[in-house]
Amino acid sequence: MTKKLLFLFDTDPVASVFDTVVGYDGGADNVIGYGGVTTENVGALVDGCIYTRGPKEKQNTAIFVGGGSMVSGEAVFKAVKKRFFSNFRVSVMLDSNGSNTTAAAGVALLAKAANLKGKKAVVLAGTGPVGMRAAAMLNIEGAEVTITARDQARADAAAKAIQERFGFTPKAVEAKDNAARAAAVKGAQVVFSAGAIGVTLLDEADWQNDPTIELLADANAQPPLGIGGLEATDKAKERHGKIVIGALGLGGLKLKLHRECVSKLFESADKVFDCENIYALAKELA
């Protein structure tokens, strides 16, 4: 039997252990990781994937683009797809920094808890991979999206990148400290925290009595959490009259989604998994 081979093209120096484990759990027979992958060196790796098996066997080879940088990941992802032609292609997935699957799990659970159409949503630290993808998925649900960053230039740059990739421009707000972020969520119904590990972006006092906030999600599992007053294990739990989702609460769906995407890569040789269809799958699984 032809073995299912998953090749990890990681833009970081060393291929991700996390992505390797989930690759096996997703059904790959062998996971082969390459670190330091760039647009300059990925071509030969892709050629090895597309020229070695016949048309009926190509579905048993797949590519996963990962690494810590979404910008680098998107560039490599584009270069991989550009190398394909005719039936010389294999299925490919982009999930740099776990951004697509993490954001998809969080937003899907928010959308399951309430209709997001027309709601004002603020993505705290919305310039990182998870934040930018969460902004895009909230827009898919019809929310009015604002992203925050420590400085205006960075917020504007992220908003421009989102517009170029997804065709809409979120409102970009500078929020240097907790007081500014507390001001940024005033009047919002949805808050999604996508900040770095160990940084509290919103204190409990700044949301617990807010009359407009209805839903909160936090992607940071390591204390201190991104949103004060949540527990990492919260999954659509009610706190202070709001529905809250912690990082471990969304983590189960994130892992299930990641595994399911890997499994589907081997269904045919022409699957392409990125933000939109990963999010659609997340909604099905939620």
Side-chain angles (χ1 to χ4, degrees):
M1 182 180 292
T2 303
K3 291 187 178 296
K4 296 177 181 178
L5 305 179
L6 180 65
F7 290 91
L8 303 185
F9 294 171
D10 201 308
T11 59
D12 290 344
V14 178
S16 167
V17 172
F18 183 99
D19 293 338
T20 300
V21 173
V22 183
Y24 279 111
D25 289 348
D29 294 314
N30 286 287
V31 181
I32 304 93
Y34 292 88
V37 177
T38 67
T39 55
E40 287 74 28
N41 63 24
V42 75
L45 297 175
V46 177
D47 290 349
C49 293
I50 65 177
Y51 289 123
T52 48
R53 286 175 162 174
K56 293 182 180 180
E57 296 178 320
K58 280 186 169 62
Q59 72 181 61
N60 293 304
T61 302
I63 295 169
F64 181 101
V65 178
S69 168
M70 175 54 77
V71 172
S72 298
E74 284 185 315
V76 168
F77 188 60
K78 184 178 180 179
V80 168
K81 293 186 292 179
K82 189 175 181 179
R83 203 79 175 183
F84 297 160
F85 67 96
S86 184
N87 66 344
F88 289 89
R89 65 184 66 243
V90 296
S91 292
V92 58
M93 176 179 174
L94 173 65
D95 199 26
S96 295
N97 207 32
S99 54
N100 277 327
T101 51
T102 300
V107 177
L109 290 174
L110 289 171
K112 181 181 179 181
N115 186 347
L116 303 182
K117 186 174 182 179
K119 293 187 185 297
K120 294 181 179 180
V122 177
V123 182
L124 301 174
T127 60
V130 174
M132 293 174 71
R133 274 348 201 212
M137 294 166 188
L138 287 163
N139 177 73
I140 289 171
E141 290 297 329
E144 299 176 24
V145 184
T146 295
I147 60 173
T148 74
R150 289 188 296 271
D151 63 81
Q152 191 64 50
R154 188 173 180 184
D156 291 339
K160 182 180 179 182
I162 290 170
Q163 197 286 323
E164 291 173 350
R165 169 62 178 82
F166 298 103
F168 86 100
T169 306
K171 182 179 179 181
V173 173
E174 180 180 87
K176 293 183 177 181
D177 52 29
N178 281 30
R181 287 186 287 269
V185 303
K186 292 295 183 185
Q189 288 81 48
V190 183
V191 179
F192 191 110
S193 176
I197 289 174
V199 179
T200 299
L201 299 178
L202 191 67
D203 292 326
E204 183 175 8
D206 293 323
W207 64 267
Q208 63 179 346
N209 296 317
D210 190 297
T212 61
I213 293 176
E214 303 170 8
L215 304 156
L216 302 100
D218 181 16
N220 176 24
Q222 184 170 317
L225 303 184
I227 299 178
L230 271 65
E231 294 290 338
T233 53
D234 287 344
K235 185 176 181 181
K237 183 180 179 64
E238 183 175 330
R239 292 187 184 275
H240 305 302
K242 293 84 164 68
I243 300 299
V244 301
I245 300 167
L248 298 181
L250 66 85
L253 178 57
K254 180 262 189 294
L255 285 171
K256 184 178 181 181
L257 174 62
H258 192 153
R259 295 186 195 109
E260 186 70 13
C261 287
V262 170
S263 176
K264 288 183 176 296
L265 289 173
F266 297 111
E267 291 180 354
S268 69
D270 58 359
K271 301 282 188 182
V272 178
F273 280 102
D274 195 359
C275 179
E276 293 87 348
N277 52 358
I278 290 176
Y279 180 60
L281 182 57
K283 290 192 69 176
E284 291 180 23
L285 296 177

